[in-house]
Coordinates of all heavy atoms in Angstrom, one line a residue:
M1 N 115.8 104.6 84.4 CA 116.2 103.5 83.5 C 116.2 102.2 84.3 O 115.8 101.1 83.7 CB 117.5 103.8 82.9 CG 117.5 104.9 81.8 SD 116.3 104.6 80.5 CE 117.0 103.2 79.7
L2 N 116.7 102.2 85.5 CA 116.8 101.0 86.3 C 115.4 100.4 86.5 O 115.2 99.2 86.5 CB 117.4 101.3 87.7 CG 119.0 101.2 87.8 CD1 119.4 101.6 89.1 CD2 119.4 99.8 87.5
V3 N 114.4 101.3 86.8 CA 113.0 100.8 87.1 C 112.5 100.2 85.8 O 111.9 99.1 85.9 CB 112.1 102.0 87.5 CG1 110.7 101.6 87.5 CG2 112.6 102.5 88.9
Y4 N 112.7 100.8 84.6 CA 112.1 100.3 83.4 C 112.8 99.0 83.0 O 112.2 98.0 82.6 CB 112.3 101.3 82.3 CG 111.2 102.3 82.3 CD1 111.5 103.7 82.6 CD2 109.9 102.0 82.0 CE1 110.5 104.6 82.7 CE2 108.9 103.0 82.0 CZ 109.2 104.3 82.4 OH 108.2 105.2 82.4
Q5 N 114.2 98.9 83.2 CA 114.9 97.7 82.9 C 114.5 96.6 83.8 O 114.3 95.4 83.3 CB 116.4 98.0 83.0 CG 117.3 97.0 82.3 CD 118.8 97.3 82.5 OE1 119.1 98.4 82.8 NE2 119.6 96.3 82.2
S6 N 114.3 96.9 85.1 CA 113.8 95.9 86.0 C 112.5 95.4 85.6 O 112.2 94.1 85.6 CB 113.8 96.5 87.4 OG 113.6 95.5 88.4
A7 N 111.5 96.3 85.3 CA 110.2 95.9 84.9 C 110.2 95.0 83.6 O 109.5 94.0 83.5 CB 109.3 97.1 84.7
V8 N 111.0 95.4 82.7 CA 111.0 94.7 81.4 C 111.6 93.3 81.6 O 111.0 92.3 81.1 CB 111.9 95.4 80.4 CG1 112.3 94.5 79.2 CG2 111.2 96.7 79.9
T9 N 112.6 93.2 82.5 CA 113.2 91.9 82.8 C 112.1 91.0 83.5 O 112.0 89.8 83.1 CB 114.4 92.1 83.8 OG1 115.3 92.9 83.2 CG2 115.0 90.7 84.1
L10 N 111.3 91.5 84.4 CA 110.3 90.7 85.0 C 109.2 90.3 84.0 O 108.7 89.2 84.0 CB 109.7 91.5 86.2 CG 110.6 91.6 87.4 CD1 110.0 92.6 88.5 CD2 110.8 90.2 88.1
D11 N 108.8 91.3 83.1 CA 107.8 91.0 82.1 C 108.2 89.9 81.2 O 107.4 89.1 80.7 CB 107.5 92.3 81.3 CG 106.5 93.2 81.9 OD1 105.9 92.8 82.9 OD2 106.4 94.3 81.4
E12 N 109.5 89.8 81.0 CA 110.1 88.7 80.2 C 110.2 87.4 81.0 O 110.8 86.4 80.4 CB 111.4 89.1 79.6 CG 111.3 90.2 78.6 CD 112.6 90.8 78.1 OE1 113.7 90.4 78.7 OE2 112.6 91.6 77.2
G13 N 109.8 87.4 82.2 CA 109.8 86.2 83.0 C 111.2 85.9 83.6 O 111.5 84.7 84.1
R14 N 112.1 86.8 83.6 CA 113.5 86.6 84.1 C 113.6 87.3 85.5 O 113.0 88.3 85.7 CB 114.5 87.2 83.1 CG 114.6 86.4 81.8 CD 115.7 86.9 80.9 NE 115.4 88.2 80.3 CZ 116.2 89.2 80.5 NH1 117.2 89.2 81.2 NH2 115.8 90.4 79.9
I15 N 114.4 86.7 86.3 CA 114.7 87.3 87.6 C 116.2 87.7 87.6 O 117.1 86.8 87.3 CB 114.5 86.3 88.8 CG1 113.0 85.8 88.8 CG2 114.9 86.9 90.1 CD1 112.0 86.8 89.3
D16 N 116.5 88.9 87.9 CA 117.9 89.4 88.0 C 118.0 90.0 89.4 O 117.7 91.2 89.5 CB 118.2 90.4 86.9 CG 119.6 90.8 86.9 OD1 120.3 90.8 87.9 OD2 120.1 91.2 85.8
R17 N 118.5 89.3 90.4 CA 118.4 89.7 91.7 C 119.2 91.0 91.9 O 118.8 92.0 92.6 CB 119.0 88.7 92.7 CG 118.0 87.5 92.9 CD 118.7 86.3 93.6 NE 119.4 86.7 94.8 CZ 118.8 86.7 96.0 NH1 117.5 86.3 96.1 NH2 119.4 86.9 97.1
A18 N 120.4 91.1 91.3 CA 121.2 92.4 91.4 C 120.5 93.6 90.8 O 120.4 94.6 91.5 CB 122.6 92.2 90.8
L19 N 119.9 93.4 89.7 CA 119.2 94.5 89.0 C 118.0 94.9 89.8 O 117.8 96.1 90.0 CB 118.8 94.0 87.6 CG 117.9 95.0 86.8 CD1 118.6 96.3 86.5 CD2 117.4 94.4 85.5
H20 N 117.2 94.0 90.3 CA 116.0 94.4 91.0 C 116.4 95.0 92.3 O 115.7 96.0 92.8 CB 115.1 93.1 91.3 CG 114.7 92.4 90.0 ND1 114.3 93.1 88.9 CD2 114.7 91.1 89.7 CE1 114.0 92.2 88.0 NE2 114.3 91.0 88.4
S21 N 117.4 94.6 93.0 CA 117.8 95.2 94.2 C 118.4 96.6 94.0 O 118.2 97.5 94.8 CB 118.9 94.3 95.0 OG 118.2 93.3 95.7
M22 N 119.2 96.7 92.9 CA 119.7 98.1 92.6 C 118.5 99.0 92.3 O 118.6 100.2 92.7 CB 120.6 98.0 91.3 CG 122.0 97.4 91.5 SD 122.9 97.4 90.0 CE 124.1 96.2 90.4
C23 N 117.5 98.5 91.6 CA 116.3 99.3 91.2 C 115.6 99.8 92.5 O 115.4 101.0 92.7 CB 115.4 98.5 90.4 SG 113.8 99.2 90.2
K24 N 115.3 98.8 93.4 CA 114.6 99.1 94.6 C 115.4 100.1 95.5 O 114.8 101.1 96.0 CB 114.3 97.8 95.4 CG 113.7 98.0 96.8 CD 112.4 98.7 96.9 CE 111.7 98.7 98.2 NZ 112.5 99.3 99.3
Y25 N 116.7 99.8 95.7 CA 117.5 100.7 96.5 C 117.7 102.1 95.9 O 117.4 103.1 96.6 CB 118.9 100.0 96.7 CG 120.0 100.9 97.2 CD1 119.9 101.4 98.6 CD2 121.0 101.4 96.5 CE1 120.8 102.2 99.1 CE2 122.0 102.3 97.0 CZ 121.8 102.7 98.3 OH 122.8 103.5 98.8
Y26 N 118.0 102.2 94.7 CA 118.3 103.5 94.1 C 117.0 104.3 93.9 O 117.0 105.6 94.2 CB 119.0 103.3 92.7 CG 119.6 104.6 92.2 CD1 120.6 105.3 92.9 CD2 119.1 105.2 91.0 CE1 121.1 106.5 92.4 CE2 119.6 106.4 90.6 CZ 120.6 107.0 91.3 OH 121.1 108.2 90.8
A27 N 115.9 103.7 93.5 CA 114.7 104.4 93.4 C 114.2 105.0 94.7 O 113.8 106.2 94.8 CB 113.6 103.5 92.8
G28 N 114.4 104.3 95.8 CA 114.1 104.8 97.2 C 115.0 106.0 97.5 O 114.5 106.9 98.1
E29 N 116.3 105.9 97.2 CA 117.2 107.0 97.5 C 116.8 108.2 96.8 O 116.8 109.3 97.3 CB 118.6 106.6 97.0 CG 119.3 105.5 97.9 CD 120.1 106.1 99.0 OE1 121.0 106.9 98.7 OE2 119.9 105.7 100.1
V30 N 116.5 108.1 95.5 CA 116.2 109.2 94.6 C 114.9 109.9 95.1 O 114.7 111.1 95.2 CB 116.1 108.8 93.1 CG1 115.5 110.0 92.3 CG2 117.4 108.4 92.6
C31 N 113.9 109.0 95.4 CA 112.6 109.5 95.9 C 112.8 110.3 97.1 O 112.2 111.4 97.2 CB 111.7 108.2 96.2 SG 110.2 108.6 97.0
N32 N 113.6 109.8 98.1 CA 113.8 110.6 99.3 C 114.6 111.9 99.1 O 114.3 112.9 99.7 CB 114.5 109.7 100.4 CG 113.5 108.9 101.1 OD1 112.9 109.3 102.1 ND2 113.2 107.7 100.6
D33 N 115.6 111.9 98.2 CA 116.3 113.1 97.9 C 115.4 114.2 97.3 O 115.4 115.3 97.7 CB 117.4 112.8 96.8 CG 118.6 112.1 97.5 OD1 118.7 112.0 98.7 OD2 119.5 111.7 96.7
V34 N 114.5 113.7 96.3 CA 113.6 114.7 95.7 C 112.6 115.3 96.6 O 112.4 116.5 96.7 CB 112.9 114.0 94.5 CG1 111.8 114.8 93.9 CG2 113.9 113.6 93.4
V35 N 112.0 114.4 97.4 CA 111.0 114.8 98.4 C 111.6 115.8 99.4 O 111.0 116.8 99.8 CB 110.2 113.6 99.0 CG1 109.3 114.1 100.1 CG2 109.4 112.9 97.9
R36 N 112.8 115.4 99.9 CA 113.4 116.3 100.9 C 113.7 117.7 100.4 O 113.5 118.7 101.0 CB 114.8 115.6 101.3 CG 115.5 116.4 102.5 CD 116.8 115.6 102.9 NE 117.7 115.5 101.8 CZ 118.5 116.5 101.3 NH1 118.5 117.7 101.9 NH2 119.3 116.3 100.3
K37 N 114.1 117.7 99.1 CA 114.4 119.0 98.5 C 113.1 119.8 98.3 O 113.0 121.0 98.4 CB 115.1 118.9 97.2 CG 116.6 118.5 97.4 CD 117.3 118.2 96.1 CE 118.8 117.8 96.4 NZ 119.4 117.0 95.4
C38 N 112.0 119.1 97.9 CA 110.7 119.7 97.7 C 110.2 120.3 99.0 O 109.7 121.5 99.1 CB 109.7 118.7 97.2 SG 109.9 118.2 95.5
L39 N 110.4 119.6 100.1 CA 109.9 120.1 101.4 C 110.7 121.3 101.8 O 110.1 122.3 102.3 CB 110.1 119.0 102.5 CG 109.6 119.3 103.9 CD1 109.1 118.1 104.6 CD2 110.5 120.1 104.8
Q40 N 112.0 121.4 101.5 CA 112.8 122.5 101.8 C 112.3 123.8 101.1 O 112.4 124.9 101.7 CB 114.3 122.2 101.3 CG 115.3 123.2 101.8 CD 115.5 123.1 103.3 OE1 115.2 122.1 103.9 NE2 116.1 124.2 103.9
V41 N 111.7 123.6 99.9 CA 111.2 124.8 99.2 C 110.0 125.4 100.0 O 109.9 126.7 100.0 CB 110.6 124.4 97.8 CG1 109.9 125.5 97.1 CG2 111.8 123.9 96.9
F42 N 109.3 124.6 100.8 CA 108.2 125.1 101.6 C 108.6 125.8 102.9 O 107.8 126.4 103.6 CB 107.2 123.9 101.9 CG 106.3 123.5 100.8 CD1 106.8 122.8 99.7 CD2 105.0 123.9 100.7 CE1 106.0 122.4 98.7 CE2 104.2 123.5 99.7 CZ 104.7 122.8 98.7
G43 N 109.9 125.6 103.2 CA 110.4 126.2 104.5 C 109.7 125.6 105.6 O 109.3 124.4 105.6
G44 N 109.3 126.4 106.6 CA 108.6 125.9 107.8 C 107.3 125.3 107.5 O 106.8 124.4 108.2
Y45 N 106.6 125.8 106.5 CA 105.3 125.3 106.1 C 105.4 123.8 105.8 O 104.5 123.0 105.9 CB 104.6 126.0 105.0 CG 104.2 127.4 105.4 CD1 104.7 128.6 104.8 CD2 103.2 127.6 106.4 CE1 104.3 129.8 105.1 CE2 102.8 128.9 106.8 CZ 103.3 130.0 106.1 OH 102.9 131.2 106.5
G46 N 106.6 123.4 105.2 CA 106.7 122.0 104.8 C 106.7 121.1 106.0 O 106.4 119.9 105.8
Y47 N 107.0 121.6 107.2 CA 107.0 120.8 108.4 C 105.6 120.6 109.0 O 105.4 119.8 109.8 CB 108.0 121.5 109.4 CG 108.3 120.7 110.6 CD1 109.2 119.6 110.6 CD2 107.7 121.1 111.8 CE1 109.5 119.0 111.8 CE2 108.0 120.5 113.0 CZ 108.9 119.4 113.0 OH 109.2 118.7 114.1
C48 N 104.7 121.5 108.6 CA 103.4 121.5 109.2 C 102.4 120.6 108.4 O 102.6 120.4 107.2 CB 102.8 122.9 109.2 SG 103.8 124.1 110.1
K49 N 101.4 120.1 109.1 CA 100.5 119.2 108.5 C 99.5 119.9 107.6 O 98.7 119.3 106.9 CB 99.7 118.4 109.6 CG 100.6 117.4 110.3 CD 99.8 116.3 111.1 CE 100.7 115.2 111.5 NZ 100.1 114.2 112.3
D50 N 99.5 121.2 107.6 CA 98.6 122.0 106.7 C 98.9 121.7 105.2 O 98.0 121.9 104.4 CB 98.8 123.5 106.9 CG 98.6 123.9 108.4 OD1 98.7 123.1 109.2 OD2 98.4 125.1 108.6
Y51 N 100.1 121.3 104.9 CA 100.4 121.1 103.5 C 100.8 119.6 103.2 O 101.4 118.9 104.0 CB 101.6 121.9 103.1 CG 101.3 123.4 103.1 CD1 101.4 124.1 104.3 CD2 100.8 124.0 102.0 CE1 101.1 125.5 104.4 CE2 100.4 125.4 102.0 CZ 100.6 126.1 103.2 OH 100.2 127.4 103.3
P52 N 100.3 119.1 102.0 CA 100.5 117.7 101.7 C 102.0 117.2 101.7 O 102.3 116.1 101.9 CB 99.9 117.5 100.3 CG 99.1 118.7 100.1 CD 99.6 119.8 100.9
I53 N 102.9 118.1 101.5 CA 104.3 117.8 101.4 C 104.8 117.1 102.7 O 105.7 116.2 102.7 CB 105.2 119.0 101.1 CG1 106.7 118.5 100.7 CG2 105.2 120.0 102.1 CD1 106.8 117.7 99.5
E54 N 104.2 117.4 103.8 CA 104.6 116.8 105.1 C 104.3 115.3 105.1 O 105.1 114.5 105.5 CB 103.8 117.5 106.3 CG 104.1 117.0 107.7 CD 103.2 115.8 108.1 OE1 102.2 115.6 107.4 OE2 103.5 115.1 109.1
R55 N 103.1 115.0 104.6 CA 102.7 113.5 104.5 C 103.6 112.8 103.4 O 104.0 111.7 103.6 CB 101.2 113.5 104.2 CG 100.7 112.1 103.9 CD 100.8 111.2 105.1 NE 100.6 109.8 104.8 CZ 99.4 109.2 104.8 NH1 98.3 109.8 105.0 NH2 99.4 107.9 104.5
I56 N 103.8 113.5 102.3 CA 104.6 112.9 101.2 C 106.0 112.6 101.7 O 106.6 111.6 101.4 CB 104.6 113.9 100.0 CG1 103.2 114.0 99.4 CG2 105.6 113.4 98.9 CD1 103.1 115.1 98.4
Y57 N 106.6 113.5 102.5 CA 107.9 113.3 103.1 C 107.9 112.0 104.0 O 108.8 111.2 103.9 CB 108.3 114.5 104.0 CG 109.6 114.6 104.6 CD1 110.8 114.8 103.8 CD2 109.8 114.4 105.9 CE1 112.0 114.8 104.3 CE2 111.1 114.5 106.5 CZ 112.2 114.7 105.7 OH 113.4 114.7 106.2
R58 N 106.9 111.9 104.8 CA 106.9 110.7 105.7 C 106.7 109.4 104.8 O 107.3 108.4 105.0 CB 105.8 110.8 106.7 CG 106.1 111.7 107.9 CD 105.1 111.7 109.0 NE 103.9 112.3 108.6 CZ 102.7 111.8 108.6 NH1 102.5 110.5 109.0 NH2 101.6 112.4 108.3
D59 N 105.8 109.5 103.8 CA 105.5 108.4 103.0 C 106.7 108.0 102.1 O 107.0 106.8 101.9 CB 104.3 108.7 102.0 CG 103.0 108.6 102.7 OD1 103.0 108.1 103.9 OD2 102.0 109.0 102.1
A60 N 107.6 109.0 101.7 CA 108.8 108.6 100.9 C 109.7 107.7 101.7 O 110.3 106.8 101.2 CB 109.5 109.9 100.5
K61 N 109.8 108.0 103.0 CA 110.7 107.2 103.9 C 110.5 105.7 103.8 O 111.4 104.9 103.9 CB 110.6 107.7 105.3 CG 111.7 107.2 106.2 CD 113.1 107.5 105.8 CE 114.1 106.5 106.4 NZ 115.4 106.6 105.7
I62 N 109.2 105.3 103.7 CA 108.9 103.9 103.8 C 109.5 103.2 102.6 O 109.8 102.0 102.6 CB 107.4 103.6 103.9 CG1 107.1 102.2 104.3 CG2 106.7 104.0 102.6 CD1 107.6 101.8 105.6
T63 N 109.8 103.9 101.5 CA 110.4 103.2 100.3 C 111.8 102.7 100.6 O 112.3 101.8 99.9 CB 110.4 104.1 99.1 OG1 111.3 105.2 99.3 CG2 109.0 104.6 98.7
E64 N 112.4 103.2 101.7 CA 113.7 102.7 102.1 C 113.6 101.6 103.1 O 114.6 101.1 103.6 CB 114.6 103.8 102.6 CG 114.9 104.8 101.5 CD 115.8 106.0 102.0 OE1 115.6 106.5 103.1 OE2 116.7 106.4 101.3
I65 N 112.4 101.3 103.5 CA 112.2 100.3 104.6 C 111.4 99.0 104.1 O 111.9 97.9 104.3 CB 111.4 100.9 105.8 CG1 112.3 102.1 106.4 CG2 111.1 99.9 106.8 CD1 111.6 102.9 107.4
F66 N 110.2 99.2 103.5 CA 109.5 98.0 103.1 C 110.0 97.4 101.8 O 110.8 97.9 101.1 CB 108.0 98.2 103.1 CG 107.4 99.1 102.1 CD1 108.1 99.6 101.0 CD2 106.0 99.5 102.2 CE1 107.5 100.4 100.1 CE2 105.4 100.3 101.3 CZ 106.2 100.8 100.2
D67 N 109.6 96.1 101.7 CA 110.0 95.3 100.5 C 111.6 95.2 100.5 O 112.2 95.3 99.4 CB 109.5 95.9 99.2 CG 109.3 94.9 98.1 OD1 109.3 93.7 98.5 OD2 109.1 95.3 97.0
G68 N 112.1 95.1 101.6 CA 113.6 95.0 101.8 C 114.2 96.4 102.0 O 114.0 97.3 101.2
T69 N 114.8 96.5 103.2 CA 115.4 97.8 103.6 C 116.6 98.1 102.6 O 117.1 97.2 102.0 CB 115.9 97.8 105.0 OG1 117.0 96.9 105.1 CG2 114.8 97.5 106.0
A70 N 116.9 99.4 102.6 CA 118.1 99.8 101.8 C 119.3 99.0 102.1 O 120.1 98.6 101.2 CB 118.3 101.3 102.0
E71 N 119.5 98.7 103.4 CA 120.7 98.0 103.8 C 120.7 96.6 103.3 O 121.7 96.1 102.8 CB 120.8 98.0 105.4 CG 121.2 99.4 106.0 CD 120.0 100.3 106.0 OE1 118.9 99.9 105.9 OE2 120.3 101.6 106.1
I72 N 119.5 96.0 103.4 CA 119.4 94.6 102.9 C 119.6 94.5 101.4 O 120.3 93.6 100.9 CB 118.1 93.9 103.4 CG1 118.0 93.8 104.9 CG2 117.8 92.6 102.7 CD1 119.1 93.1 105.5
H73 N 119.1 95.5 100.7 CA 119.4 95.4 99.2 C 120.8 95.6 98.9 O 121.4 95.1 98.0 CB 118.5 96.5 98.5 CG 117.1 96.0 98.4 ND1 116.7 94.9 97.6 CD2 115.9 96.4 98.9 CE1 115.5 94.7 97.6 NE2 114.9 95.6 98.5
K74 N 121.5 96.4 99.7 CA 123.0 96.6 99.5 C 123.7 95.3 99.8 O 124.6 94.9 99.1 CB 123.5 97.7 100.4 CG 123.2 99.1 99.8 CD 124.0 100.2 100.5 CE 123.3 100.8 101.7 NZ 124.0 102.0 102.2
V75 N 123.2 94.5 100.8 CA 123.8 93.2 101.0 C 123.6 92.3 99.8 O 124.5 91.6 99.4 CB 123.2 92.6 102.3 CG1 123.6 91.1 102.5 CG2 123.6 93.4 103.6
I76 N 122.4 92.3 99.3 CA 122.0 91.4 98.1 C 122.9 91.8 96.9 O 123.5 91.0 96.3 CB 120.5 91.5 97.8 CG1 119.7 90.9 98.9 CG2 120.3 90.8 96.4 CD1 118.2 91.2 98.8
I77 N 123.0 93.1 96.7 CA 123.8 93.6 95.5 C 125.3 93.1 95.7 O 125.9 92.6 94.8 CB 123.8 95.1 95.4 CG1 122.3 95.6 95.0 CG2 124.8 95.6 94.3 CD1 122.1 97.0 95.3
S78 N 125.8 93.3 96.9 CA 127.2 92.9 97.2 C 127.4 91.4 96.9 O 128.4 91.0 96.3 CB 127.6 93.2 98.7 OG 127.3 94.5 99.0
K79 N 126.4 90.6 97.4 CA 126.6 89.1 97.3 C 126.5 88.8 95.8 O 127.3 87.9 95.3 CB 125.4 88.4 98.0 CG 125.7 88.3 99.5 CD 124.7 87.4 100.2 CE 125.0 87.4 101.7 NZ 123.8 86.9 102.5
E80 N 125.6 89.4 95.0 CA 125.4 89.1 93.6 C 126.7 89.5 92.8 O 127.0 89.0 91.8 CB 124.2 89.8 93.0 CG 122.9 89.3 93.6 CD 122.6 87.9 93.1 OE1 122.8 87.5 91.9 OE2 122.2 87.1 94.0
M81 N 127.4 90.5 93.4 CA 128.7 91.0 92.7 C 129.9 90.2 93.2 O 131.0 90.4 92.8 CB 128.9 92.5 93.0 CG 127.9 93.4 92.4 SD 128.1 95.1 92.9 CE 129.5 95.6 92.0
G82 N 129.6 89.2 94.1 CA 130.7 88.4 94.6 C 131.5 89.0 95.7 O 132.6 88.6 96.0
V83 N 131.0 90.2 96.2 CA 131.7 90.9 97.3 C 131.3 90.3 98.6 O 130.1 90.1 98.9 CB 131.4 92.4 97.3 CG1 132.2 93.1 98.4 CG2 131.8 93.0 95.9
R84 N 132.3 90.0 99.5 CA 131.9 89.4 100.8 C 131.8 90.5 101.8 O 132.4 91.6 101.8 CB 133.0 88.5 101.3 CG 133.0 87.2 100.5 CD 134.1 86.3 100.9 NE 133.8 85.0 100.5 CZ 133.8 83.9 101.3 NH1 134.1 84.1 102.6 NH2 133.5 82.7 100.9
Ligands
LIG101 C1 103.9 100.6 106.1 C2 104.5 99.2 106.1 C3 104.0 98.3 105.2 C4 104.6 97.0 105.2 N1 104.0 96.1 104.3 C5 104.5 94.9 104.3 C6 103.9 93.9 103.4 O1 103.0 94.1 102.7 N2 104.4 92.6 103.4 C7 105.5 92.3 104.3 O2 105.9 91.1 104.2 N3 106.0 93.2 105.1 C8 105.6 94.5 105.1 N4 106.2 95.4 105.9 C9 107.3 95.0 106.8 C10 108.6 95.4 106.2 O3 109.0 94.6 105.1 C11 109.7 95.4 107.3 O4 109.4 96.5 108.1 C12 111.1 95.5 106.7 O5 111.4 94.2 106.0 C13 112.1 95.8 107.7 O6 112.1 94.8 108.8 P1 112.0 95.3 110.3 O7 111.0 96.4 110.4 O8 111.8 94.1 111.1 O9 113.4 95.9 110.5 P2 114.7 95.2 111.0 O10 114.9 93.9 110.2 O11 114.7 95.0 112.5 O12 115.8 96.2 110.6 C14 116.1 97.4 111.4 C15 117.3 98.1 110.8 O13 118.4 97.3 110.8 C16 118.9 97.1 109.4 N5 119.4 95.7 109.2 C17 118.8 94.6 109.6 N6 119.6 93.5 109.2 C18 120.7 94.0 108.6 C19 121.9 93.4 108.1 N7 122.0 92.1 108.0 N8 122.8 94.3 107.6 C20 122.7 95.6 107.6 N9 121.6 96.2 108.2 C21 120.6 95.4 108.7 C22 117.7 97.4 108.5 O14 118.2 97.8 107.2 C23 117.0 98.5 109.3 O15 117.6 99.7 109.0 C24 105.7 96.7 106.0 C25 106.2 97.6 106.9 C26 105.6 98.9 106.9 C27 106.2 99.9 107.9

C-alpha cells in the first residue's frame, strides 16, 4: 500500500518526503525479509551459485543501499516527523 500510495502521489505531481522515504525504507526491509526466508527453504543449496536464489539474495540487499540507504531514509522520516 505504501508503494502504491507513493506512486499515486508522484503521478499527481505531489512530493511527500516522509511518505516516499517510508515507502523506500519499508519496501527494502520487506524485500530482504522475504528473500532471506526463501533462501532458507533451499537450505545449503540456497548458498550455492547453482540456484538463482543466491543471486536474488545479493540483489535484494542493494534495495537497502542505493537511492538512499535505510539509515538515511530513517533520518528523513524522523526530520519530517519533527523528531530530532
Ligand atoms: C549497484 C549500485 C548502483 C548504484 N546506482 C546509483 C545511481 O544510479 N545513481 C547514484 O547517484 N548513485 C548510485 N549508487 C550509489 C548509492 O546511492 C550509494 O552507494 C548510497 O547512496 C550509499 O552511499 P555510500 O555507498 O557512499 O555509503 P556511505 O554514505 O558511506 O554509508 C555507509 C553506511 O553508513 C550509513 N550512514 C551514512 N551516513 C549516515 C547518517 N548520517 N546516519 C546514519 N547512518 C549513516 C549508511 O546508511 C551506510 O550504512 C549505486 C550504488 C550501487 C552499489
Side-chain angles (χ1 to χ4, degrees):
M1 288 305 294
L2 273 172
V3 171
Y4 281 110
Q5 198 180 340
S6 186
V8 167
T9 303
L10 287 172
D11 275 350
E12 291 171 352
R14 293 184 289 121
I15 302 287
D16 182 335
R17 285 167 57 87
L19 173 64
H20 303 316
S21 278
M22 285 181 201
C23 168
K24 170 64 172 59
Y25 167 66
Y26 191 64
E29 289 267 306
V30 171
C31 173
N32 276 274
D33 282 353
V34 169
V35 170
R36 185 178 59 79
K37 285 172 181 159
C38 287
L39 187 147
Q40 190 70 17
V41 172
F42 284 77
Y45 289 121
Y47 187 75
C48 301
K49 289 194 168 178
D50 302 20
Y51 293 89
I53 190 67
E54 180 271 345
R55 174 67 195 270
I56 295 167
Y57 184 71
R58 283 187 289 124
D59 284 349
K61 187 60 200 169
I62 195 61
T63 64
E64 293 181 318
I65 296 171
F66 66 13
D67 208 14
T69 64
E71 289 74 22
I72 294 304
H73 282 294
K74 283 195 266 189
V75 170
I76 294 170
I77 295 163
S78 307
K79 281 187 180 161
E80 292 295 313
M81 292 173 76
V83 179
R84 289 177 159 234

